[in-house]
Amino acid sequence: MSKRNALLLMVLVTLIWSTNGLLIKLVSWSPMAISGLRSLFAALVLLPFLGNPSHLVSFDTLVGGFGFAGALITFVIATKLTTAANAIFLQLTAPVYVALLSGWILGEHVRVLDWVITGIIFSGMLLFFGDNLTVDGFWGNICAIISAICWAVFVLFSRRQKNDSPLKIPILGHVICALSGIPFIIISGLPESGWFWIIPMGTIGAGLSFVLYTVVIKRLKAIEAIITQTIEPIFNPIWVFLAVGETPGSWALLGGIVVLSSVTMHAVLREKTD
């Protein structure tokens, strides 16, 4: 696969991910029930692509799997409790947590640049609380931040076993989400509306998209991948605005610009100084 085709495929994957916020909004069901059933569909779709890993379960797999599951669950909760824009912008801080934790987990040197950019990003995150948010909105933002940290854990422990089956951790994470969601599915009963959207959300958005991602990420530099992924927070609130009319506040938009710019700057400067 050429680099141009890999970039185009990365754009496709990112656009698929950007629809998650909208689809979650369209399902009138509890966040845990949505997360559980979505992951059940995703795990079933991903299993045929697992291959023959050297070990099905290891310390790295468990930590990465729980990180992946935590990221999915808290992102669904965040999208339900705050705006889709807030949820996706705050989750996009995950690369910074990767940089900060890489020294401890991967033995990689953390530079002064990492700390400077982190400070700027956290300043941008504070702007999300500048709008007149409700208590629910506040906790939605907190869940989005936790989701970013969990996603960073998933990325870090995936790198620790990069030579093994790359889909092992996502499959385990989906299984954890599915099992965690069963009690909420039973308690909640059938969704009041929008139940159909869970199927494409699981099979495509949380399933096949990761098969494509594991293909392109091996062919793109970090800077190319992360710049391409900035399409996601741009299109996520657009889909939600077009479908349900939800608009992010002005302070949240400003915070999003600061976060996006800082994450991209961090990737560019790291690439130049490596």
Side-chain angles (χ1 to χ4, degrees), residues 25 39 77 91-92 121 129 149 169 197 222 226 234:
K25 292 285 187 182
S39 285
I77 296 174
Q91 195 193 44
L92 198 66
I121 285 178
F129 300 92
I149 296 173
I169 287 180
W197 297 111
I226 199 166
I234 293 172

Side-chain angles (χ1 to χ4, degrees), residues 201-251:
M201 195 191 312
T203 58
I204 301 175
L208 293 177
S209 64
F210 280 94
V211 177
L212 300 177
Y213 184 72
T214 57
V215 173
V216 301
I217 199 63
K218 296 178 181 179
R219 292 164 173 79
L220 295 179
K221 294 181 179 179
I223 180 61
E224 296 167 332
I226 199 166
I227 288 179
T228 307
Q229 288 177 43
T230 58
I231 296 173
E232 182 178 358
I234 293 172
F235 277 91
N236 183 285
I238 291 176
W239 304 140
V240 175
F241 171 73
L242 293 175
V244 300
E246 176 186 281
T247 57
S250 57
W251 284 107

Side-chain angles (χ1 to χ4, degrees), residues 87-157:
I88 193 65
F89 277 136
L90 288 171
Q91 195 193 44
L92 198 66
T93 60
V96 175
Y97 302 123
V98 170
L100 292 177
L101 295 174
S102 61
W104 174 48
I105 296 176
L106 300 176
E108 298 175 355
H109 178 63
V110 179
R111 306 174 183 179
V112 174
L113 169 66
D114 301 324
W115 295 106
V116 173
I117 296 296
T118 300
I120 297 173
I121 285 178
F122 275 98
S123 299
M125 289 167 62
L126 291 175
L127 294 174
F128 281 87
F129 300 92
D131 290 318
N132 295 321
L133 298 176
T134 63
V135 173
D136 285 344
F138 174 86
W139 287 112
N141 287 346
I142 296 298
C143 285
I145 295 172
I146 295 174
S147 180
I149 296 173
C150 289
W151 188 259
V153 171
F154 158 66
V155 171
L156 288 165
F157 281 87

Side-chain angles (χ1 to χ4, degrees), residues 27-84:
V27 182
S28 298
W29 215 14
S30 73
M32 286 297 296
I34 293 174
S35 179
L37 190 55
R38 178 183 69 172
S39 285
L40 176 61
F41 284 120
L44 293 175
V45 168
L46 289 176
L47 276 174
F49 298 93
L50 178 59
N52 297 306
S54 57
H55 299 90
L56 282 176
V57 179
S58 64
F59 175 78
D60 290 350
T61 304
L62 288 174
V63 176
F66 276 103
F68 183 84
L72 295 186
I73 291 172
T74 51
F75 179 74
V76 173
I77 296 174
T79 305
K80 283 292 187 180
L81 296 183
T82 188
T83 66

